[in-house]
Amino acid sequence: MDKDKLREQKIIQLIESQNETEFVDFKQEFYHKEKTPDLIKDVVSFANVSSNEEKYIIIGLDNDKNNIMDVDYEKVRDISEINQLLNEYCEPFINVELFRFKYNGKKLLALIIFNNIDRPYIIKKEYNKKGCALRTGEIYIRHGATNFIANRNDLDEIYANRQKIDLVVKDNAIKFINLRHGTKNEQVCCLQILIDNNSDKSFIFHNGNVNWQYNNTSTGRQIKYIEDQTERFAKELLSISEKPLQIQAHTQYQKSLFVIVSDGMIDIIRQKEIEKEKLKILINLKDASDKVFKFETLINSIKIEL
């Protein structure tokens, strides 16, 4: 399944959950000219949330999220105009894109805030038109479903999170495959992970595990391999203990993480998929000093290719 389809599925799940959070907001219509300060404020607030996951402003839902309306794409401001506004009034620059999709026969739109790791984002230029104002130096942040001007604690958290490692599972997706390397053929769970080292330190990870958690079921396995590719390898792979993962300071990596799994675990996953129960993944990585780094994410897509 391609990236756009996975993204569409995730957005639809957010619509059906009907919950506005620090990652999602619902709007009846797109920001017209008079709503420019709201557009800027909303984007800055989402960008300052201390997570590198995508955030979504979903257009086409009324306040109670039950009435879905077609979005007139012709009346939506062009992405180049939005980028120009963000470049003029915010710093550093904030990455956004527009995503068109259909839901229940209606044309909807999502403004996606993504890949913004250089927090805090601030208002760099005053905006004051028709009683709507943004002031130079203001920093907005989202808590739950509401935007606030950031306080000292918010800034402390933002700067603390700039000095850490962040890890996300790409597209919130995992798959179970037969991993072929050298003469071996192993049944594994494959997670494509994005690692972002925002700190001034380099790390070497030589051990780790993955835990799969459902409401009343939990199971864990040791991480066996971390590589660049995803499936077929000409030579036999070395385990993470033999070939540690080295993460340099202020560097981003995309890796494939492999965990050997049993038939019993596959059976559990299949059953939970039938029951439509959400899966949470917990990833623990241990560095050379035996410090454990913990990451977690909800999984939206599971493929079993065995």
Side-chain angles (χ1 to χ4, degrees), residues 206-212 220-225 240 257-261 284 286:
H206 65 93
N207 197 355
N209 61 70
V210 174
N211 289 282
W212 294 261
R221 297 288 189 277
Q222 292 293 309
I223 296 170
K224 190 65 180 290
Y225 314 108
I240 186 175
L257 185 154
F258 300 100
V259 180
I260 296 176
V261 295
N284 300 312
K286 185 181 291 187

Side-chain angles (χ1 to χ4, degrees), residues 10 51 53 167-174 191-193 210-213 278-283 294-300:
K10 181 174 183 179
S51 169
E53 291 188 47
L167 181 152
V168 297
V169 177
K170 187 178 179 182
D171 299 323
N172 297 100
I174 62 173
L191 300 86
Q192 288 187 269
I193 58 174
V210 174
N211 289 282
W212 294 261
Q213 291 191 352
K278 279 289 188 181
L279 170 62
K280 179 190 286 187
I281 290 287
L282 304 178
I283 301 173
K294 299 182 179 182
F295 314 93
E296 66 177 64
T297 188
L298 287 174
I299 298 301
N300 295 320

Side-chain angles (χ1 to χ4, degrees), residues 162-287:
R162 287 183 60 165
Q163 297 295 318
K164 73 168 191 175
I165 291 180
D166 195 21
L167 181 152
V168 297
V169 177
K170 187 178 179 182
D171 299 323
N172 297 100
I174 62 173
K175 61 181 178 179
F176 295 85
I177 62 172
N178 287 313
L179 176 65
R180 299 175 176 87
H181 58 110
T183 59
K184 287 190 174 182
N185 187 358
E186 298 177 297
Q187 186 170 268
V188 301
C189 177
C190 174
L191 300 86
Q192 288 187 269
I193 58 174
L194 304 173
I195 303 177
D196 184 9
N197 184 1
N198 297 310
S199 74
D200 299 322
K201 295 177 59 180
S202 297
F203 298 90
I204 298 177
F205 297 115
H206 65 93
N207 197 355
N209 61 70
V210 174
N211 289 282
W212 294 261
Q213 291 191 352
Y214 290 101
N215 290 338
N216 57 2
T217 303
S218 177
T219 184
R221 297 288 189 277
Q222 292 293 309
I223 296 170
K224 190 65 180 290
Y225 314 108
I226 298 182
E227 296 288 339
D228 293 327
Q229 298 171 243
T230 57
E231 294 187 34
R232 294 175 180 268
F233 298 84
K235 296 182 179 180
E236 189 170 309
L237 300 179
L238 297 175
S239 69
I240 186 175
S241 60
E242 299 170 297
K243 182 185 175 184
L245 174 64
Q246 299 187 34
I247 303 295
Q248 301 298 322
H250 301 292
T251 309
Q252 294 177 317
Y253 297 84
Q254 179 172 320
K255 296 288 182 178
S256 292
L257 185 154
F258 300 100
V259 180
I260 296 176
V261 295
S262 64
D263 290 335
M265 181 180 170
I266 299 296
D267 292 339
I268 292 172
I269 297 291
R270 291 185 191 275
Q271 182 59 38
K272 295 298 184 181
E273 280 290 279
I274 293 172
E275 296 171 1
K276 299 186 182 302
E277 187 173 334
K278 279 289 188 181
L279 170 62
K280 179 190 286 187
I281 290 287
L282 304 178
I283 301 173
N284 300 312
L285 292 172
K286 185 181 291 187
D287 72 1

